[in-house]
């Protein structure tokens, strides 16, 4: 008998309740867990609070040995097209503190937790248009709804695109396409994303979860160790990319962010710009 005990691993009933304000979670008996990010039951509205929850959630789910495959996506018809109207008050009141806590620490942890702290296969389901879609694109397999649109607006809102989406775009799009998308805020449709190799399949929105579970069923046919080790093989390019790019990108974004001295993620900075996606324009500067 060992002199010490195992430290308890996370319990699904406990953490699914703890995270319920930000994520609706359900898990099948075989360990396939479905996680749908939301704000009050609808599409995600970006805030300092839900931004922090991302890495906390991924680390917790990754630490539960009863989870075997993670399916992750958003809620409603959009992934993330708005900011919480009061979601960046903390940053505006004390930028020096939150530029580190929110923009540097939490942001880096969010990406690292998904790539490094998950020992299981992951399936992203992009349910609609939105920013910060790297959370779905970083997954091993990504399905997109027919009406989904991928874009990054950091440059258009006066920020440096260095907080993870740049790594995602450069890895998936290549140097030239990524540069164009980051400078122009290009609205990449689901069909173009499939052609570019950013997503694996485009399906009707109401079939996203069904298709994701079908793929999960196929993956589950192999031995647990085979599944888990394979996930680490297919994730190695992302690990290399993040180690090489992410900290430096965040550092450059934060430096520019502090020079401006104003919040760049609040609703007033984003609402007018994201409207071009809803209007179907290719770029924000195309009228």
């Amino acid at each position: 008998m060992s002199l010490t005990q195992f430290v308890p691993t996370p319990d699904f009933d406990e953490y699914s309740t703890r995270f319920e304000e930000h994520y609706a979670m359900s898990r099948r008996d075989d360990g396939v867990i479905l996680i749908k990010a939301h704000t009050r039951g609808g599409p995600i509205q970006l805030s300092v609070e839900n931004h922090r929850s991302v890495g906390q959630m991924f680390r917790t789910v990754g630490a539960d040995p009863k989870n075997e495959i993670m399916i992750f996506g958003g809620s409603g018809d959009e992934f993330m097209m708005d900011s919480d109207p009061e979601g960046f008050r903390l940053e505006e009141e004390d930028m020096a503190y939150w530029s580190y806590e929110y923009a540097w620490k939490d942001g880096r942890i969010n990406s690292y937790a998904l790539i490094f702290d998950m020992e299981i296969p992951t399936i992203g389901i992009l349910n609609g248009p939105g920013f910060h879609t790297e959370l779905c694109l970083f997954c091993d397999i990504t399905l997109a709804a027919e009406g989904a649109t991928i874009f990054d607006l950091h440059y258009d809102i006066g920020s440096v695109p260095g907080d993870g989406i740049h790594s995602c775009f450069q890895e998936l799009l290549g140097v030239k396409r990524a540069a164009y998308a980051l400078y122009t805020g290009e609205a990449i449709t689901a069909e173009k994303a499939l052609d570019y190799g950013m997503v694996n399949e485009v399906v009707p929105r109401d079939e996203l979860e069904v298709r994701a579970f079908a793929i999960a069923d196929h993956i589950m046919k192999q031995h647990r160790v085979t599944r888990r080790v394979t996930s680490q093989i297919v994730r190695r390019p992302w690990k290399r990319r993040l180690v090489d790019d992410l900290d430096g990108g965040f550092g450059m974004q934060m430096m520019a962010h502090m020079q401006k001295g104003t919040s760049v993620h609040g609703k007033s900075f984003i609402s007018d710009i994201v409207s071009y996606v809803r209007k179907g324009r290719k770029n924000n500067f195309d009228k």
Side-chain angles (χ1 to χ4, degrees):
M1 177 71 69
S2 174
L3 296 176
T4 59
Q5 302 293 318
F6 284 115
V7 175
T9 54
D11 177 74
F12 176 77
D13 289 337
E14 187 280 324
Y15 65 76
S16 62
T17 299
R18 173 158 41 103
F19 286 107
E20 64 183 358
E21 186 175 18
H22 300 291
Y23 307 96
M25 299 187 185
S26 58
R27 186 172 70 187
R28 302 191 317 195
D29 291 341
D30 63 358
V32 177
I33 183 171
L34 172 66
I35 302 172
K36 298 175 69 174
H38 70 91
T39 298
R40 296 190 174 182
I44 310 161
Q45 295 183 43
L46 185 61
S47 69
V48 170
E49 291 83 358
N50 67 37
H51 186 260
R52 170 163 290 181
S53 77
V54 177
Q56 293 174 316
M57 181 273 292
F58 284 144
R59 282 184 164 175
T60 301
V61 170
D64 183 353
K66 293 182 180 178
N67 293 324
E68 296 296 343
I69 295 176
M70 181 186 73
I71 301 172
F72 173 81
S75 302
D77 295 340
E78 298 176 345
F79 180 72
M80 184 193 298
M81 290 285 281
D82 287 302
S83 290
D84 181 331
E86 299 295 325
F88 290 87
R89 182 179 293 275
L90 289 172
E91 185 186 40
E92 292 163 356
E93 292 174 350
D94 190 350
M95 185 174 296
Y97 179 83
W98 285 103
S99 65
Y100 168 78
E101 286 290 326
Y102 163 77
W104 172 255
K105 179 176 69 66
D106 290 345
R108 288 161 52 250
I109 288 173
N110 292 346
S111 297
Y112 283 135
L114 177 54
I115 299 301
F116 288 94
D117 293 340
M118 288 283 176
E119 292 285 330
I120 58 176
T122 56
I123 302 172
I125 50 175
L126 185 57
N127 56 298
F131 46 96
H132 281 305
T133 53
E134 72 270 18
L135 297 178
C136 293
L137 300 177
F138 277 149
C139 290
D140 302 337
I141 293 172
T142 303
L143 311 179
E146 289 177 341
T149 308
I150 297 167
F151 59 93
D152 179 63
L153 295 178
H154 280 94
Y155 193 81
D156 274 347
I157 62 175
S159 182
V160 173
D163 64 353
I165 191 69
H166 76 294
S167 296
C168 184
F169 278 22
Q170 288 177 330
E171 183 71 24
L172 296 177
L173 292 173
V175 174
K176 298 297 287 186
R177 284 176 174 168
Y180 183 79
L182 295 174
Y183 272 125
T184 70
E186 178 185 11
I188 303 172
T189 64
E191 291 72 21
K192 182 176 285 189
L194 179 63
D195 183 57
Y196 283 172
M198 302 181 79
V199 303
N200 299 102
E201 296 183 16
V202 176
V203 298
R205 181 178 292 109
D206 60 2
E207 297 178 14
L208 274 177
E209 291 180 26
V210 173
R211 182 58 181 158
F213 277 112
I215 294 172
D217 289 339
H218 171 75
I219 295 173
M220 286 293 292
K221 290 179 180 179
Q222 300 305 324
H223 189 275
R224 181 174 187 265
V225 174
T226 300
R227 298 194 302 266
R228 287 169 173 258
V229 175
T230 299
S231 76
Q232 301 310 299
I233 293 293
V234 302
R235 212 164 293 156
R236 280 182 61 81
W238 285 125
K239 291 181 178 181
R240 288 194 296 266
R241 171 66 71 173
L242 294 191
V243 168
D244 287 345
D245 289 352
L246 192 62
D247 284 11
F250 263 106
M252 287 182 276
Q253 185 192 63
M254 187 165 64
M255 183 274 292
H257 181 56
M258 291 298 290
Q259 287 293 313
K260 287 174 63 67
T262 58
S263 172
V264 296
H265 287 106
K267 190 178 182 68
S268 62
F269 287 86
I270 292 177
S271 59
D272 291 340
I273 297 175
V274 298
S275 66
Y276 87 91
V277 177
R278 294 191 176 105
K279 294 176 180 178
R281 296 208 305 270
K282 181 179 179 181
N283 301 115
N284 189 40
F285 57 82
D286 292 331
K287 305 301 182 183

